[in-house]
Amino acid sequence: MKVLVDVLGGDNAPKAVIEGAMAALKKEEDLNLVLVGPKDKIEEAIKASAIDHSRVEILHSEVAVNNTDHPSLFLKQKPDSSLAICFDQLRKRDDVDGMVSAGPTGALLTGTVLRVGRLPGVSRPALIATLPTRKGTFTRLVDAGANMDCKSEYLVQFALMADVYLRLLGNPSPSVATLSVGQEEGKGNEVVKEAYATLKQTELNFVGNIEGDHVLKGEADIVVCDGFAGNVFLKATEEGAYFISDLFKAALTRNIFAKIGALFQMKGLKKVKEPFNHARKACAPLLGAKKLVLKCHGKSEAETFEATILEASRLSKLGLQEKISAAIAGMNAEKTAE
């Protein structure tokens, strides 16, 4: 098992990425990594952690891809960047099972499409994100930002690929809903209405439309939308959580009496934040690519990189790509038969 890691991706790179990689190697004995980043820092970490050097291949790069870089041009403008090297390696090497990066979403999508390619029959790869719910469970949002403009058939494929993913995670019959402006059939734009009509005819556990204010209530395991709506919803929800958290902090520190009271409430407040912290630490696979591509949050710490690297290994062993490919082939065969 071998996974590529973009050491320079994310706000806390390279330190957090390298620390996470070393921790993942300690957790899984059959794991091998290709770390793409500053050679000296990676070698220092290997020596300090006493990891067997043969389990780590180092490809040197000191160039990072940032949010200011054009996502469709970085492969040409920064061919020596850690992310560009990762994609080149993922494309040409049969011994590499997947890659992990906290780089910009647009760059990850571009690199995946242009260098890695899509599974046969997949129209567009889709990013699947994890959100906490009031039930104490998690819902998955797909697409979370990879495809700004979608056709209805893309949404149907997103639902199918997400269904395969959640079944691998242990959910035997995940419920699927389309994000819309009303729960009733016929609500939404033409793309959503067409996707609704098609999803009703599939064998997926389709439960209809879901409005934005119902997503975090846990009424569906999978919420399907285009990448524009998904990314707006995701970022607005994330910022809303931070906003409420800041309001609490301000209220609890406004005077000496509030600060004393806060001391007795800290444990409870930490429990409130736990679901959001867990969701933020979850990785976002890019479903539908020929090989595994897993996206970490840009602000990820070492423990998130560790978990994501281990998840890449697990999903590869479970055969995520093969199962998605089979599901897409089955759906396309049904269309042809009709």
Side-chain angles (χ1 to χ4, degrees):
M1 177 58 58
K2 188 171 287 187
V3 177
L4 275 158
V5 181
D6 172 17
V7 173
L8 294 177
D11 297 348
N12 298 311
K15 185 175 184 292
V17 187
I18 296 173
E19 288 178 359
M22 295 302 108
L25 286 166
K26 289 179 180 178
K27 282 272 184 71
E28 190 168 312
E29 293 183 357
D30 66 343
L31 176 66
N32 294 278
L33 298 179
V34 181
L35 301 182
V36 185
K39 185 177 180 180
D40 55 343
K41 293 182 179 179
I42 296 171
E43 287 182 337
E44 284 177 14
I46 294 172
K47 290 177 182 177
S49 61
I51 294 290
D52 181 356
H53 201 289
S54 66
R55 296 176 61 197
V56 183
E57 180 181 345
I58 303 172
L59 298 179
H60 181 69
S61 175
E62 295 183 356
V63 181
V65 174
N66 305 307
N67 288 318
T68 53
D69 294 313
H70 198 289
S72 61
L73 299 177
F74 85 94
L75 290 170
K76 289 185 178 180
Q77 293 178 344
K78 289 187 171 182
D80 56 345
S81 66
S82 58
L83 188 56
I85 293 171
C86 277
F87 278 121
D88 284 335
Q89 293 290 308
L90 191 61
R91 174 187 60 179
K92 67 186 182 183
R93 290 179 58 166
D94 294 331
D95 65 325
V96 172
D97 300 283
M99 67 170 277
V100 169
S101 175
T105 301
L108 253 69
L109 176 65
T110 301
T112 299
V113 172
L114 296 182
R115 290 288 188 267
V116 183
R118 296 163 286 177
L119 288 169
V122 172
S123 299
R124 295 288 189 279
L127 200 64
I128 183 165
T130 301
L131 290 167
T133 73
R134 290 188 181 186
K135 294 180 178 179
T137 58
F138 295 95
T139 189
R140 265 71 180 190
L141 185 73
V142 57
D143 179 20
N147 303 280
M148 296 298 104
D149 299 296
C150 290
K151 298 179 181 179
S152 62
E153 54 262 39
Y154 299 174
L155 301 191
V156 176
Q157 284 196 354
F158 296 167
L160 182 64
M161 293 190 293
D163 176 80
V164 171
Y165 175 64
L166 258 67
R167 287 176 186 272
L168 280 183
L169 296 185
N171 188 332
S173 182
S175 55
V176 179
T178 42
L179 184 64
S180 191
V181 294
Q183 292 183 321
E184 303 84 3
E185 184 174 357
K187 289 292 182 74
N189 58 26
E190 290 304 312
V191 171
V192 171
K193 288 188 281 188
E194 289 174 9
Y196 187 113
T198 303
L199 286 167
K200 277 202 312 181
Q201 306 303 316
T202 68
E203 295 182 0
L204 297 173
N205 181 16
F206 182 60
V207 296
N209 285 332
I210 188 170
E211 295 183 72
D213 60 340
H214 284 243
V215 172
L216 300 187
K217 292 180 179 179
E219 295 179 3
D221 298 311
I222 298 167
V223 177
V224 181
C225 57
D226 63 50
F228 180 84
N231 196 258
V232 169
F233 178 87
L234 188 67
K235 289 181 178 177
T237 301
E238 183 179 37
E239 180 53 33
Y242 291 144
F243 174 64
I244 298 299
S245 177
D246 289 342
L247 287 179
F248 270 111
K249 288 178 183 177
L252 294 172
T253 57
R254 66 179 183 272
N255 56 50
I256 186 62
F257 300 107
K259 290 178 181 178
I260 293 172
L263 294 174
F264 297 96
Q265 300 179 55
M266 288 307 295
K267 189 174 181 180
L269 290 173
K270 285 181 180 179
K271 282 191 173 294
V272 170
K273 292 174 66 177
E274 278 178 8
F276 291 96
N277 290 335
H278 183 89
R280 182 173 163 181
K281 291 173 185 175
C283 64
L286 195 56
L287 303 178
K290 279 186 179 178
K291 287 188 175 181
L292 283 168
V293 177
L294 275 68
K295 169 82 167 70
C296 293
H297 194 287
K299 297 177 182 178
S300 293
E301 301 287 351
E303 60 183 322
T304 302
F305 287 106
E306 174 192 350
T308 304
I309 292 167
L310 293 174
E311 183 68 358
S313 174
R314 186 169 79 100
L315 290 176
S316 179
K317 291 175 181 176
L318 289 171
L320 176 63
Q321 311 307 97
E322 293 81 2
K323 286 181 170 59
I324 287 178
S325 186
I328 293 293
M331 176 177 281
N332 290 340
E334 288 179 7
K335 285 183 181 178
T336 303
E338 292 173 0

